[in-house]
């Protein structure tokens, strides 16, 4: 089929790292989408793809749209930071930044660990951890639900699954934050040096952990991956297992912390939604899906073109770096009627693109969903009068992909 192609418009004023966009991206994204399906963004040297159908089509074609760029630093690094990363982070691409067929082999070795029934079996431990964290602040009458719950809960869940000790969680979280700034933000030269050093420490930690487990197998994901070698010649080698830990040790919590923060913020900003959930917990699943659509915790993901192509009728060259705007796709009225309203009963909310689609469809989607549903259920049972503290302003991390409030101050009657 021959497609008519058009020149790509340039979005001169668009900056997804500006304070204005970080605080409220949707007016900017809606305006871009209405103006056209693809725009070149000079501030990033990326092409932004805005419409649902085009983002879905890009995800569905891994041959034309390579994922190898998914973890690459967004902005050029200083020579010094680049050198530290090159010598210190010796990981191999394993999942989100590896194309088929090599990706298929790695994915197959991990997929069974994240099946819905495996995640369903984790619910008691997720519930027990969330309850323990909630108990710590239940008598206070107020809390920061990000610092007190959404931040530690997914990290401890993921680290325990991998086998990392709880005592290292805070240190690992802080190194992961450095990884986020380097790969998806625009850190200063000074911060780049420190962050690259910490990313090297994170890599060393993963590598050393694999060595430790190889000599002393335990009951955790790392040991399971090592055990696969006993009767599977295709199983992952030590460097690949360490690379999986380096990937999962990040992907398994930043995303979910933000999903929980966004869900609670939206539900409490719409007091009738919170009251409805308290009255009918069966609505929680839909509320999580609608949060993923309306206020995604992963607002953009990246691909790079392997050949000249056209997207939505716009010509894009080979080697074009694409910012797939999941946030814009999820607000596309062609897919979601009345997209600016937060509707926990929206019938097609589950079609949101926040977990990507196709070859790289998020491996942790069941885990992320279960964690968010569990937290919302426990809070709604214990604090039906939960409300946002008045007059708070929200801040968001400065990067193009991961979005959630850094703090969420709430209050309730302490006797609850
Ligand atoms: C809860 C919110 C989460 C969101 C919004 C999210 C979002 C995403 C997105 C957008 C992708 C890229 C998809 C693509 O390239 O097509 C992805 C991939 C991935 N996610 Fe998640 N994620 C979440 C939770 C998790 C969790 C809890 C884990 C932990 C296991 C996880 C692990 C992964 C991995 C390993 C990949 C790469 C899969 C592959 O390349 O085969 N994610 N996720």
């Amino acid at each position: 089929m021959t497609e008519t192609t058009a020149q790509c418009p340039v979005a001169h004023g668009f900056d997804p790292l500006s304070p204005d966009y970080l605080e409220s991206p949707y007016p900017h994204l809606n305006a871009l989408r209405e103006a056209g399906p693809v725009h070149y963004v000079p501030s990033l040297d990326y092409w932004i793809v805005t419409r649902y159908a085009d983002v879905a089509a890009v995800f569905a074609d891994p041959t034309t749209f390579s994922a190898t760029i998914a973890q690459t630093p967004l902005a050029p690094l200083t020579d010094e930071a680049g050198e530290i990363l090159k010598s210190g982070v010796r990981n191999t691409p394993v999942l989100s930044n590896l194309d088929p067929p090599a990706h298929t082999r790695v994915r197959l070795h991990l997929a069974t660990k994240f099946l819905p029934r495996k995640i369903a079996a984790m619910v008691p431990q997720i519930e027990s951890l969330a309850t323990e964290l909630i108990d710590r602040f239940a008598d206070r009458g107020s809390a920061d639900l990000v610092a007190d719950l959404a931040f530690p809960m997914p990290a401890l869940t993921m680290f325990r699954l991998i086998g990392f000790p709880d005592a290292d969680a805070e240190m690992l979280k802080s190194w992961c934050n450095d990884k986020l700034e380097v790969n998806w933000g625009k850190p200063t030269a000074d911060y780049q040096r420190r962050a690259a050093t910490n990313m090297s420490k994170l890599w060393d930690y993963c590598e050393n952990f694999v060595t430790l487990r190889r000599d002393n197998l335990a009951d955790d994901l790392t040991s399971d991956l090592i055990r696969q070698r006993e009767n599977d010649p295709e199983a992952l080698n030590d460097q690949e297992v360490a690379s999986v830990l380096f990937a999962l040790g990040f992907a398994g919590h930043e995303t979910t912390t933000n999903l929980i923060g966004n869900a609670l913020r939206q539900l409490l900003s719409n007091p009738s939604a919170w009251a409805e959930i308290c009255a009918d917990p069966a609505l929680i699943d839909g509320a999580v899906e609608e949060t993923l659509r309306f206020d995604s915790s992963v607002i953009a993901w990246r691909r790079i073109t392997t050949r000249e192509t056209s997207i939505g009728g716009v010509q894009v060259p080979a080697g074009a770096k694409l910012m797939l705007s999941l946030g814009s796709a999820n607000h596309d009225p062609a897919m979601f009627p009345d997209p600016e309203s937060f509707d926990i009963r929206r019938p097609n909310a589950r079609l949101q693109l926040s977990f990507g689609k196709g070859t790289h469809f998020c491996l942790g989607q069941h885990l992320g969903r279960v964690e968010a549903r569990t937290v919302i259920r426990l809070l709604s049972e214990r604090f039906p009068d939960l409300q946002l503290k008045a007059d708070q302003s929200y801040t968001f991390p400065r990067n193009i992909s991961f979005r959630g409030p850094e703090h969420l101050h709430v209050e309730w009657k302490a006797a609850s």
Side-chain angles (χ1 to χ4, degrees):
M1 192 183 81
T2 318
E3 242 182 300
T4 316
T5 55
Q7 199 85 40
C8 181
V10 180
H12 282 292
F14 181 75
D15 177 5
L17 294 169
S18 67
D20 203 28
Y21 177 92
L22 293 172
E23 189 190 326
S24 183
Y26 291 99
H28 298 267
L29 293 173
N30 292 343
L32 265 194
R33 191 183 55 251
E34 278 158 26
V38 183
H39 304 258
Y40 176 69
V41 180
S43 68
L44 291 180
D45 184 27
Y46 268 73
W47 275 254
I48 181 167
V49 183
T50 59
R51 294 186 184 163
Y52 184 99
D54 297 326
V55 173
V58 169
F59 277 135
D61 180 359
T63 310
T64 310
F65 304 103
S66 164
T68 46
I69 198 169
Q71 304 275 334
T72 304
L74 174 74
L77 298 179
T78 60
D79 290 348
E80 189 187 8
E83 272 311 310
I84 298 172
L85 281 187
K86 207 166 127 199
S87 60
V89 184
R90 297 171 301 281
N91 66 328
T92 307
V94 276
L95 284 162
S96 64
N97 55 349
L98 183 63
D99 287 329
H103 169 267
T104 316
R105 170 181 154 261
V106 180
R107 175 97 184 193
L108 282 174
H109 283 90
L110 270 170
T112 54
K113 314 287 172 210
F114 294 94
L115 293 173
R117 69 180 155 78
K118 287 273 168 78
I119 302 305
M122 288 174 66
V123 169
Q125 75 200 62
I126 292 171
E127 190 169 319
S128 143
L129 173 59
T131 304
E132 188 189 318
L133 292 166
I134 293 170
D135 284 346
R136 289 187 199 165
F137 61 73
D139 291 340
R140 284 207 317 248
S142 69
D144 173 355
L145 287 181
V146 173
D148 294 330
L149 184 59
F151 184 84
M153 211 274 286
L156 287 169
T157 304
M158 194 64 220
F159 296 157
R160 287 176 186 180
L161 185 71
I162 291 174
F164 294 160
D166 282 6
D168 293 343
E170 215 165 300
M171 173 183 77
L172 292 168
K173 268 292 239 186
S174 119
W175 291 343
C176 286
N177 191 54
D178 292 326
K179 183 174 172 181
L180 193 160
E181 294 266 352
V182 167
N183 290 0
W184 291 276
K186 252 191 194 174
T188 60
D190 193 37
Y191 185 19
Q192 282 181 34
R193 185 176 3 91
R194 276 180 287 131
T197 306
N198 288 340
M199 283 173 72
S200 306
K201 290 183 187 167
L202 179 59
W203 169 252
D204 287 346
Y205 183 97
C206 294
E207 221 175 26
N208 292 336
F209 191 75
V210 173
T211 310
L212 188 80
R213 278 296 184 261
R214 202 187 48 217
D215 298 336
N216 293 290
L217 291 173
D219 181 17
D220 54 38
L221 176 74
T222 310
S223 306
D224 285 352
L225 292 175
I226 296 171
R227 270 193 206 98
Q228 287 182 344
R229 278 184 231 149
E230 286 167 14
N231 40 30
D232 178 358
E234 290 283 292
L236 310 186
N237 62 36
D238 273 6
Q239 206 215 10
E240 290 170 324
V241 176
S243 303
V244 165
L245 305 193
F246 190 70
L248 286 183
F250 175 88
H253 53 89
E254 293 290 341
T255 50
T256 313
T257 292
N258 289 333
L259 170 58
I260 295 171
N262 291 336
L264 292 169
R265 179 174 166 224
Q266 292 308 333
L267 287 168
L268 295 169
S269 308
N270 293 270
S272 67
W274 185 250
E276 284 176 83
I277 284 205
C278 293
D280 181 4
L283 293 171
I284 292 174
D285 289 13
V288 170
E289 274 340 285
E290 178 65 345
T291 302
L292 285 158
R293 183 200 72 81
F294 182 80
D295 193 6
S296 180
S297 57
V298 179
I299 196 170
W301 207 245
R302 289 180 283 165
R303 290 290 191 262
I304 185 164
T305 54
T306 57
R307 60 174 176 87
E308 187 181 351
T309 185
S310 104
I311 302 173
V314 176
Q315 199 67 22
V316 176
K321 296 179 282 179
L322 305 181
M323 174 177 162
L324 307 177
S325 178
L326 311 183
S328 172
N330 288 336
H331 281 240
D332 186 343
M335 188 65 192
F336 301 105
D338 191 15
E340 302 313 311
S341 69
F342 179 73
D343 175 4
I344 61 174
R345 292 187 177 79
R346 184 179 291 276
N348 68 348
R350 218 180 155 82
L351 297 179
Q352 45 74 19
L353 289 175
S354 297
F355 291 120
K357 203 177 162 67
T359 318
H360 293 272
F361 204 15
C362 175
L363 194 67
Q365 56 179 294
H366 308 300
L367 178 59
R369 282 186 172 112
V370 162
E371 289 183 75
R373 290 173 192 158
T374 304
V375 164
I376 295 170
R377 180 170 51 76
L378 292 175
L379 289 174
S380 62
E381 281 166 8
R382 292 181 67 168
F383 311 107
D385 61 338
L386 194 67
Q387 52 185 34
L388 293 170
K389 273 198 176 170
D391 299 331
Q392 63 180 307
S393 51
Y394 300 99
T395 57
F396 297 87
R398 189 169 179 267
N399 72 86
I400 62 158
S401 286
F402 300 94
R403 185 166 195 276
E406 291 176 312
H407 301 279
L408 192 68
H409 295 287
V410 295
E411 56 194 356
W412 64 93
K413 290 198 192 80
S416 297

